[in-house]
Amino acid sequence: MIDNHILAPVFVQLFTAIAQLMFWRKTVTQRFLSVGGSIIGLLVAIRLFSRTQSEGILTMNAANWDAPFGIVFVADTLSVTLVLLTSIAGVAVSIFSSVSLSRQRMLYGYFPIFHFLIMGLYGAFLTGDIFNLYVYFEVIIISSFVLMTLGGRKAQLEGAVKYMAMNILASMFFLTGIGILYGITGSLNMADVAMKIQLVQNKTLVGITSCFFIIGFGIKSAVFPLYYWLPSSYHTPPSAVAATFGGLLTKVGIYAMIRVLSLIFIPDDFTKTLLMVIAVLTIVTGAFGALIKTNVRRLFSYLIVCHIGFMVGGIAMFTKVALMGTVFYLIHDIVVKTTMFLIAGLIRQLRGTLEMEKLGGLYRDYPKVSLLIAVVLFSLVGIPPLSGFWPKIFLFQDSFSQQQYFFAAALLFGSFVTLFVIARMWSKVFWKNPPEEENVEDRFAPMQPYKKLLMLLPIAFLCGVTLYIGLNAEAIVNVTDKISNQLIDNSSYIKAVLGEKTN
């Protein structure tokens, strides 16, 4: 069904960013515009999600050019679910940013760039054109690079160089793959390409092209052995920026991998084996990295890598149950990882450091806040019936039915390591007494009550979302079931985009 409101989320973020540019020196105004624009974006995303649930896949042809000749935007269940989750994370980060960032960073253009980044994420999820996906990826990369370097500290610049270098490499592989794909199909519309690539006789060239996409998306997703840029860079920017990166940016790579492999390069045995090897090694290396880290944000960075492997393994099996587990874990991971980095920012504001050896006594001093954080930590670990538990059931079930025992073992190993490192973190940060030789109150200026409240509000909001996902798992399963059906049988997507041209 054609709906011209598909791009409403993109335009909300675009106009919010432009409005903030008009108030460059007025940071208070920018804060209100940011929070207001994020809330409007969330409401628009809820409406779009509701429309797709009631009316099916929605499309919009830019400038009224019919597909495949014009740029098309597609809102299916997967894309609108990720738009909704991005909007939820965006509201939380926007509120957190308004009180956690210094005015100096705001004067460098933090809020406009933040909304350009969210705009790029929306566009990447909604586009039905493979080159347009590349364009939105570049919007994301440029915006994220600026956010990472705001403030100009040495550690930030070093992390930003590693981040930018690897993402430029990913873009080169992605763009090369697009060029070859256009050469063999003569189209950039993903639905049209999905039909034409079946007629290509040179299957070896098709396989090589798919490897370009897998490498490009793999770098962006931080899979083995291309993940080193992530733990080297995600601990350097402010916590609000790290929350956006940790919760959303690597998931764009996972989304793109799912979209391209379900539409264009349907995985064969070689592709499945390659992805499974990558998944197992990503889980193992991410888990070992987390075991040796004593900085809270570095620990979370390696857990991102470890858990990306869970989702890649589900894509590798490429069955309905496995894809349900992958999408469910994707939903859970976006919310929880965003919350974890916001929690790290709160801890730093309360104690002035994120080194676990220098922390302690948080439960004694802030018992209610600690219990709120514990809910998020339990969800991250996957304690039943919280959100991290349910997708693992699907992944374990299919790994045994597909006889992928190495993946099942890696999944079990990654889960136990996550439990161990989070339990160790809880013990050192919350339960043990702070170091006696140093007064923790001297490390950082006391927080004003309103500031503490506004930092806790987004964490509590995301905690509520996490609880909803876990305790209302049946509704999430229904959504993931619908998504997996559309991914396994892509005919509904193709028909929605091309209409009668599919006949």
Side-chain angles (χ1 to χ4, degrees), residues 56-101:
I57 299 175
L58 308 176
T59 63
M60 192 208 81
N61 298 320
N64 207 29
W65 282 79
D66 291 337
F69 305 107
I71 295 175
V72 65
F73 293 88
V74 187
D76 65 346
T77 310
L78 174 60
S79 60
V80 296
T81 299
L82 293 176
V83 167
L84 178 58
L85 291 167
T86 302
S87 301
I88 291 171
V91 170
V93 173
S94 181
I95 296 173
F96 193 89
S97 301
S98 66
V99 292
S100 65
L101 288 178

Side-chain angles (χ1 to χ4, degrees), residues 426-447:
W426 179 267
S427 174
K428 291 186 176 182
V429 176
F430 293 88
W431 273 352
K432 78 175 179 65
N433 292 324
E436 295 180 359
E437 67 276 7
E438 185 178 359
N439 184 2
V440 295
E441 300 297 334
D442 293 336
R443 294 202 199 118
F444 220 69
M447 291 176 61

Side-chain angles (χ1 to χ4, degrees), residues 117-395:
L117 174 61
I118 300 298
M119 181 196 74
L121 291 167
Y122 286 160
F125 294 141
L126 292 171
T127 186
D129 182 277
I130 192 71
F131 185 77
N132 211 30
L133 177 62
Y134 168 79
V135 171
Y136 279 113
F137 266 44
E138 294 307 296
V139 172
I140 294 169
I141 291 172
I142 294 170
S143 302
S144 57
F145 178 74
V146 175
L147 290 177
M148 186 169 285
T149 56
L150 282 182
R153 293 187 298 111
K154 181 180 177 181
Q156 283 182 258
L157 296 177
E158 289 179 353
V161 168
K162 297 173 184 176
Y163 172 82
M164 198 64 181
M166 291 303 296
N167 276 275
I168 289 175
L169 180 62
S171 296
M172 289 174 58
F173 277 102
F174 186 13
L175 192 58
T176 303
I178 291 174
I180 301 173
L181 189 64
Y182 181 74
I184 61 179
T185 63
S187 180
L188 293 172
N189 181 287
M190 287 191 278
D192 192 43
V193 171
M195 296 184 62
K196 290 182 176 179
I197 203 165
Q198 300 175 21
L199 306 177
V200 176
Q201 298 298 318
N202 192 340
K203 298 303 180 184
T204 302
L205 182 59
V206 173
I208 293 172
T209 308
S210 69
C211 288
F212 277 100
F213 284 95
I214 290 173
I215 294 172
F217 297 148
I219 295 174
K220 292 179 183 293
S221 302
V223 301
F224 178 89
L226 309 168
Y227 68 88
Y228 295 101
W229 60 269
L230 190 151
S232 298
S233 58
Y234 274 26
H235 70 284
T236 58
S239 294
V241 177
T244 308
F245 288 8
L248 297 171
L249 292 198
T250 51
K251 312 311 180 297
V252 181
I254 293 295
Y255 163 79
M257 197 179 295
I258 293 173
R259 179 66 74 197
V260 168
L261 290 177
S262 64
L263 265 181
I264 302 172
F265 305 106
I266 307 301
D268 55 15
D269 291 339
F270 172 78
T271 304
K272 290 180 179 179
T273 302
L274 174 64
L275 289 174
M276 185 57 70
V277 171
I278 291 173
V280 171
L281 293 175
T282 302
I283 294 172
V284 173
T285 52
F288 278 126
L291 281 171
I292 62 174
K293 294 303 171 186
T294 58
N295 180 283
V296 173
R297 273 172 57 176
R298 285 180 180 269
L299 168 64
F300 293 163
S301 297
Y302 273 100
L303 288 180
I304 291 175
V305 175
C306 176
H307 298 160
I308 285 293
F310 293 3
M311 292 175 268
V312 175
I315 298 172
M317 291 185 287
F318 208 78
T319 63
K320 178 180 177 178
V321 175
L323 289 175
M324 286 179 67
T326 296
V327 175
F328 200 138
Y329 205 92
L330 183 62
I331 294 170
H332 148 81
D333 206 58
I334 288 175
V335 178
V336 169
K337 290 299 192 303
T338 303
T339 316
M340 295 303 296
F341 280 94
L342 294 183
I343 289 170
L346 177 64
I347 293 172
R348 189 178 184 282
Q349 287 288 337
L350 295 174
R351 289 292 194 251
T353 182
L354 288 174
E355 294 295 332
M356 287 190 278
E357 299 302 326
K358 297 180 180 180
L359 290 167
L362 275 176
Y363 183 79
R364 180 196 65 189
D365 298 336
Y366 307 98
K368 294 180 181 179
V369 175
S370 299
L371 291 176
L372 179 68
I373 294 172
V375 173
V376 182
L377 295 176
F378 286 155
S379 298
L380 176 68
V381 171
I383 303 296
L386 299 177
S387 60
F389 171 74
W390 304 108
K392 292 179 185 177
I393 295 296
F394 293 110
L395 293 174

Side-chain angles (χ1 to χ4, degrees), residues 411-423:
L411 193 61
L412 190 64
F413 175 71
S415 299
F416 274 115
V417 169
T418 302
L419 173 62
F420 174 78
V421 297
I422 292 300

